[in-house]
Amino acid sequence: AFQTFSVVPPAVGIVHQVNLEHLAQVVFEKDAEKGPLLYPDTLVGTDSHTTMINGLGVVGWGVGGIEAEAGMLGQPVYFQTPEVIGVNLHGSLPQGMTATDLTLRITELLRAEGVVGKFVEFHGEGAANLSLADRATIANMAPEYGATMGYFPVDESTLEYLRMTGRPKERVSLIRDYFEAQDLFGMPEAGSIDYTKTIDFDLGDTQPSVAGPRRPQERIEISDLKERFQGMLTDEVSAGGFGLETEVLSTREKVGLNGSSSEIGHGSVLIAAITSCTNTSNPSVMLAAGLVAKKAVERGLAMNPVTKVSLAPGSRVVSDYLKETGLQPYLDQLGFHLVGYGCTTCIGNSGPLSVEVEKALSQGGLVAASVLSGNRNFEARVHGSIKANFLMSPPLVVAYALAGTVDVDLSNDPIGTGSDGEPVYLRDLWPGTEEIEECMARGIRPEMFREKYD
């Protein structure tokens, strides 16, 4: 067993994102008796979302504290030879779809397939065409779809990401040479590897989605959320509902807050959080959130004061590129102020709701909602008083926060009314792929990563 320790300054972000952006070496080099010895980067971590690094072609997963401590002391970690499930991705993502939409669909697919305790390896033409950040988003949620890890092999996209995040050119060249010498470089084509089982998935089947109200695999297309949520309210708890009587569905409670008065009811969005390394490690969805905020502000939309809003990036680099692209002020204007760099709402660190809001929830027996770009939405995890919790992409977090409710069909219903008195729809705010790519090209530079970690 070989040990390599890296040190980064404190309070720079979530370890999984810091690992992706800086710590991971992909290939390690060690002086040995017969000359330099190269070996693959592997790790175990004490958090289940250690698997995000699988997107970079690094074998790693979450273990218990005793196992991790043993590894730090140079002891091996034992495990049975796993089954390896191959997921052949083909086709391409439709315009407007995010990595989060894809990840929620894959989580639903693999949870139904039953991959608990297994390794999953993504391959095929579709996998090759995914950006590294998109791969990391999928790999991050391996615990949610049940796998020990969700692995993407090393290829050109891996090297491109390493260069983008400021890794030395010599290191990138070494990684290529090593994996080519081992005949491991490149995304495997469909049918080229004999997996335990192969599952095919067409990226073109991805639709804008959320997941909830209690589990990450409970995927709902946004066009269906209104109808599904209304059904959940009266469905029996044993069937995944909230067991409400029909006569209380129209219950509304008044809330006085900061000099303003609002009404809340079932489905009201009371917590909206852009959080979790699952999505904050992905510049495309973070910049998309900023662009939605910019367009919303320009159209005159504003946040309901009863909604508790927060922005918790997984690393300080995210703040740099949101500032560089001029998008942070628009997020600030809607209330998505920076609250820190780390795990927040996703692990229950949302903080208290106001006394007035808590009182209204209790008096009305309301099934209120949270919307978050995290990976976990188990009952009472986000907040003990919020019963319906929905995972979604960062730009959708902004949209549902502005709408103020999940009892809405954002594919058809307006988010709100603009300053010109006209309805504003999601399609009016949603950025195109070229717009996001332009922001990435303008706002992200390798030196941003070097400056933050060196």
Side-chain angles (χ1 to χ4, degrees):
F2 300 102
Q3 302 175 67
T4 300
F5 298 95
S6 296
V7 178
V8 296
V12 297
I14 303 172
V15 65
H16 314 309
Q17 188 162 338
V18 174
N19 192 21
L20 187 73
E21 295 177 350
H22 176 69
L23 289 176
Q25 301 294 302
V26 186
V27 172
F28 276 110
E29 185 174 1
K30 181 181 179 69
D31 290 332
E33 187 176 327
K34 296 183 179 180
L37 175 67
L38 303 179
Y39 57 98
D41 186 349
T42 59
L43 80 151
V44 291
T46 56
D47 185 89
S48 57
H49 294 102
T50 298
T51 54
M52 187 162 77
I53 206 60
N54 302 158
L56 196 66
V58 174
V59 171
W61 62 89
V63 297
I66 293 176
E67 291 174 282
E69 290 169 8
M72 292 177 67
L73 295 172
Q75 298 301 308
V77 174
Y78 295 97
F79 62 97
Q80 291 184 331
T81 302
E83 294 183 42
V84 181
I85 306 300
V87 178
N88 173 35
L89 301 179
H90 54 93
S92 58
L93 283 175
Q95 276 282 334
M97 297 304 109
T98 68
T100 316
D101 299 320
L102 173 58
T103 301
L104 293 178
R105 178 66 183 96
I106 287 175
T107 298
E108 177 188 46
L109 174 72
L110 294 182
R111 177 60 71 170
E113 180 65 34
V115 295
V116 174
K118 302 174 184 178
F119 286 7
V120 170
E121 179 167 308
F122 297 93
H123 63 282
E125 181 183 1
N129 291 333
L130 290 176
S131 72
L132 194 290
D134 289 355
R135 298 176 189 181
T137 303
I138 296 168
N140 183 287
M141 286 191 74
E144 280 66 48
Y145 47 82
T148 300
M149 66 177 194
Y151 183 79
F152 286 84
V154 173
D155 66 355
E156 291 292 348
S157 291
T158 314
L159 304 184
E160 180 182 344
Y161 181 83
L162 292 170
R163 286 188 287 265
M164 185 190 80
T165 50
R167 266 70 164 213
K169 293 180 180 179
E170 298 78 11
R171 165 65 51 183
V172 177
S173 296
L174 176 69
I175 291 168
R176 175 195 288 277
D177 292 344
Y178 175 82
F179 277 91
E180 286 183 343
Q182 301 298 324
D183 198 22
L184 292 172
F185 187 80
M187 188 65 66
E189 296 180 356
S192 63
I193 294 178
D194 184 18
Y195 296 105
T196 304
K197 181 177 182 179
T198 299
I199 302 168
D200 291 310
F201 179 70
D202 185 350
L203 300 178
D205 291 340
T206 307
Q207 295 294 320
S209 302
V210 304
R214 297 184 180 92
R215 298 186 300 173
Q217 65 265 35
E218 296 171 333
R219 188 184 68 90
I220 305 170
E221 294 181 12
I222 64 169
S223 57
D224 297 332
L225 181 56
K226 181 176 183 177
E227 182 179 353
R228 291 278 294 276
F229 180 75
Q230 291 174 350
M232 293 172 194
L233 292 176
T234 55
D235 286 346
E236 294 295 328
V237 174
S238 59
F242 296 100
L244 300 183
E245 299 295 332
T246 304
E247 55 266 24
V248 304
L249 295 183
S250 59
T251 300
R252 306 286 293 179
E253 294 287 336
K254 288 187 177 180
V255 176
L257 196 63
N258 299 328
S260 64
S261 180
S262 302
E263 279 194 350
I264 61 174
H266 300 297
S268 291
V269 173
L270 299 184
I271 293 177
I274 299 175
T275 179
S276 169
C277 53
T278 303
N279 286 295
T280 64
S281 63
N282 193 323
S284 66
V285 292
M286 294 301 288
L287 291 169
L291 288 166
V292 169
K294 178 178 185 291
K295 295 181 181 187
V297 169
E298 291 172 346
R299 295 294 293 267
L301 298 183
M303 199 69 64
N304 189 321
V306 300
T307 303
K308 185 171 187 176
V309 184
S310 63
L311 169 64
S315 81
R316 292 178 180 269
V317 179
V318 179
S319 288
D320 285 350
Y321 63 67
L322 286 174
K323 180 180 179 181
E324 186 75 15
T325 53
L327 296 175
Q328 185 62 56
Y330 297 102
L331 289 164
D332 289 339
Q333 193 163 333
L334 294 181
F336 286 96
H337 299 287
L338 174 70
V339 297
Y341 302 94
C343 299
T344 55
T345 305
C346 194
I347 60 167
N349 290 343
S350 56
L353 297 172
S354 70
V355 173
E356 293 82 358
V357 169
E358 288 273 16
K359 182 179 179 182
L361 289 172
S362 178
Q363 285 184 170
L366 298 178
V367 178
S370 73
V371 294
L372 63 152
S373 64
N375 42 43
R376 299 274 169 91
N377 58 339
F378 308 132
E379 191 167 4
R381 182 182 177 96
V382 172
H383 192 283
S385 299
I386 304 296
K387 298 178 182 178
N389 304 285
F390 293 93
L391 308 179
M392 59 189 68
S393 66
L396 278 181
V397 169
V398 177
Y400 277 101
L402 286 166
T405 181
V406 295
D407 189 12
V408 63
D409 173 9
L410 287 189
S411 64
N412 291 300
D413 300 337
I415 289 176
T417 302
S419 54
D420 58 0
E422 295 296 319
V424 179
Y425 296 88
L426 181 61
R427 58 180 175 268
D428 299 325
L429 307 181
W430 202 258
T433 302
E434 290 183 0
E435 195 173 2
I436 297 170
E437 290 176 349
E438 186 276 329
C439 277
M440 290 180 64
R442 175 165 50 90
I444 302 177
R445 302 185 306 276
E447 54 266 29
M448 287 179 169
F449 296 87
R450 288 194 290 264
E451 290 167 0
K452 283 293 177 288
Y453 293 121
D454 290 347

